[in-house]
Amino acid sequence: MGRSNNSELYPGYATDITPTVRPLPYYGKSFYPGERELGAALRKDTVALVARRLPWHHLRGLPHGAVPRFVETYRKAWPVFLRTDIASFYPSIRHRDLVVGVQLAYRDLLGLSYVPSGFKRRYLAPLTRWCEALPLRRGIPLGSPVSAIAAPLMLMPLWLELRRRFGTPLMVCMDDVLVCCRDEAQCAEVFALLENRLHDDYGLSLHPGKTVSGRFGSGRFDFCGWRLAGGYARIADDKAGAFGERIARVALSRQSLPPRALVKRINRLVDAFGHYYKHGNVKRQFEALDIRVRSVLRRCLRGAGRRRIGNEELASLGLHSLTDIRARWQERQTPASSRRALRRAEPSARDVPRSDSRDDIAAALECIDGKLTQLIRLQRSLLTLLGDTLRNY
């Protein structure tokens, strides 16, 4: 089976499927009656642990602007990057790897050498039944709340091993990962570890078309909708184009609405897009997209029998502007925000620490946590040895 056209049958489905992977016949469907409760319980027990061990993981709830902030935080001390993606991630997951991987993830997040029995009692049987309810023995549904938490947890041992072995900062968004390295040699070692572990332990592979490496100062790559090049963060070309197409599609489909209702519908898309990308170097891109939004609205209103209207009348109808969203955000920043957009002001308490001192504190706490875990393991080993000695006597 070559390159498939499943996107027509299953919207949002990846079209670059490997020849050994069958298309999912259950996209977005629910087969297990309690999967919503199962996903919520699993998320409640693991997300806090993920936030402590991997602060740049998407499960902890990264704020808008997290990608350019991550690059600005680490690109000087770790000037080389590796950006990669797992090929056909959801359709290729083996069910046994998912069930086992969730348990190992909980073990590693706690720093233990065994999986707690309480966790097994709560989740082993429900996860097994959920997998058995699926029509195929390989692949999981994209729209399931269990998939949304279990799939990233399955890969957690791999990310934690990468941190332990190399100490590199990494950012994970589902199956997309951005790793910071000290030099090209370390970058090659990180790539080899990811490729070998994914193939040997999970039967997965890295996407060759989405794997790129280089230096932050001279390289260019796309990650989570951002185009990062030379220390600047801009909107990726495909995301900017998709935004314009969506504006046109929504405006044309709602052309019969009154002008204010149509503008209100468009504002929802403008606000969501603007607040996500306002943290980058996007002034010119926002200006060009604003022109496109106004042009689409003019065509729709003129098609409804109205005369051509200017920018002032569109503003009087309540149309929001991407440029205004960014300008208001910049006004709320401290004077330090007058520098490049990547160098933001001091974050709030909810944001991830960026300064070197806070990074040092976080690294020290993580080191202390590892030492305490080693002491606990040693204590348990000594207790076991003492028990065996007493039984022999």
Side-chain angles (χ1 to χ4, degrees):
M1 179 177 115
R3 186 176 293 272
S4 172
N5 193 21
N6 293 309
S7 59
E8 298 179 358
L9 300 177
Y10 311 109
Y13 187 79
T15 57
D16 51 351
I17 305 175
T18 56
T20 58
V21 179
R22 298 173 59 187
L24 295 179
Y26 44 80
Y27 171 86
K29 293 184 179 179
S30 174
F31 293 91
Y32 188 68
E35 65 176 352
R36 185 177 298 275
E37 294 77 11
L38 176 59
L42 192 59
R43 186 178 294 272
K44 181 179 179 181
D45 286 345
T46 56
V47 167
L49 299 175
V50 174
R52 181 167 62 92
R53 290 299 186 93
L54 294 174
W56 296 100
H57 198 285
H58 78 278
L59 285 180
R60 72 175 302 272
L62 296 175
H64 291 168
V67 174
R69 189 181 308 124
F70 174 82
V71 173
E72 179 63 19
T73 302
Y74 296 108
R75 69 187 184 94
K76 290 184 178 180
W78 308 81
V80 179
F81 68 86
L82 171 64
R83 183 261 187 271
T84 188
D85 174 82
I86 300 177
S88 302
F89 180 52
Y90 270 77
S92 305
I93 293 177
R94 297 180 300 209
H95 294 173
R96 73 158 187 262
D97 294 337
L98 184 74
V99 175
V100 174
V102 168
Q103 299 177 71
L104 297 181
Y106 189 74
R107 178 201 67 182
D108 292 348
L109 287 172
L110 290 176
L112 302 176
S113 58
Y114 61 93
V115 181
S117 58
F119 187 84
K120 289 184 178 180
R121 286 195 301 268
R122 287 194 302 272
Y123 297 110
L124 180 56
L127 281 175
T128 302
R129 289 195 297 267
W130 179 77
C131 291
E132 292 174 349
L134 300 176
L136 300 179
R137 300 278 74 86
R138 189 183 183 97
I140 59 177
L142 299 175
S144 169
V146 177
S147 300
I149 181 65
L153 282 178
M154 182 190 73
L155 299 176
M156 201 63 61
L158 174 59
W159 309 136
L160 293 176
E161 180 184 353
L162 192 149
R163 285 292 306 274
R164 288 194 301 268
R165 181 172 297 188
F166 300 102
T168 58
L170 72 156
M171 187 174 191
V172 181
C173 294
M174 190 55 71
D175 59 327
D176 292 87
V177 59
L178 175 61
V179 186
C180 300
C181 304
R182 295 195 182 278
D183 50 39
E184 287 77 2
Q186 188 181 64
C187 184
E189 294 178 1
V190 169
F191 174 80
L193 172 66
L194 293 176
E195 180 72 17
N196 294 333
R197 285 291 310 278
L198 284 172
H199 179 271
D200 297 341
D201 297 348
Y202 305 102
L204 302 173
S205 61
L206 297 178
H207 196 300
K210 297 181 180 180
T211 300
V212 61
S213 64
R215 304 186 75 86
F216 284 112
S218 58
R220 184 179 65 179
F221 63 97
D222 293 351
F223 188 72
C224 294
W226 291 92
R227 168 63 61 85
L228 297 125
Y232 291 89
R234 299 180 177 89
I235 307 171
D237 295 340
D238 58 335
K239 298 300 180 182
F243 172 73
E245 293 174 0
R246 188 175 183 187
I247 289 289
R249 184 169 60 252
V250 171
L252 292 175
S253 64
R254 303 294 192 277
Q255 195 170 0
S256 59
L257 292 175
R260 288 191 177 276
L262 177 60
V263 169
K264 185 177 181 180
R265 182 78 178 183
I266 295 298
N267 284 341
R268 298 177 185 176
L269 304 179
V270 172
D271 291 344
F273 190 86
H275 286 297
Y276 182 80
Y277 286 107
K278 65 185 180 182
H279 304 269
N281 308 84
V282 295
K283 180 180 179 180
R284 292 185 178 180
Q285 289 179 301
F286 271 10
E287 292 173 350
L289 290 173
D290 278 338
I291 294 174
R292 184 169 183 178
V293 171
R294 291 193 293 267
S295 176
V296 169
L297 276 177
R298 288 193 183 99
R299 289 200 304 268
C300 292
L301 296 177
R302 186 170 60 248
R306 294 175 55 89
R307 61 180 175 80
R308 186 182 185 279
I309 59 178
N311 295 347
E312 296 77 9
E313 191 170 351
L314 287 175
S316 67
L317 291 174
L319 179 64
H320 295 177
S321 168
L322 294 172
T323 305
D324 291 343
I325 291 175
R326 184 174 183 272
R328 288 194 301 268
W329 172 76
Q330 286 187 321
E331 290 176 358
R332 294 194 299 268
Q333 306 305 304
T334 62
S337 65
S338 60
R339 297 173 294 179
R340 291 187 307 170
L342 281 178
R343 300 182 179 181
R344 297 184 55 218
E346 190 69 18
S348 62
R350 295 179 57 188
D351 292 338
V352 178
R354 299 186 304 111
S355 63
D356 294 338
S357 60
R358 294 189 179 184
D359 291 339
D360 294 340
I361 293 174
L365 290 176
E366 185 173 355
C367 180
I368 293 173
D369 181 72
K371 297 298 183 182
L372 290 175
T373 301
Q374 294 178 5
L375 289 175
I376 293 174
R377 291 178 179 173
L378 179 60
Q379 184 182 27
R380 287 174 177 165
S381 300
L382 291 175
L383 290 176
T384 302
L385 179 61
L386 180 61
D388 294 341
T389 305
L390 293 176
R391 281 193 297 269
N392 293 334
Y393 283 99

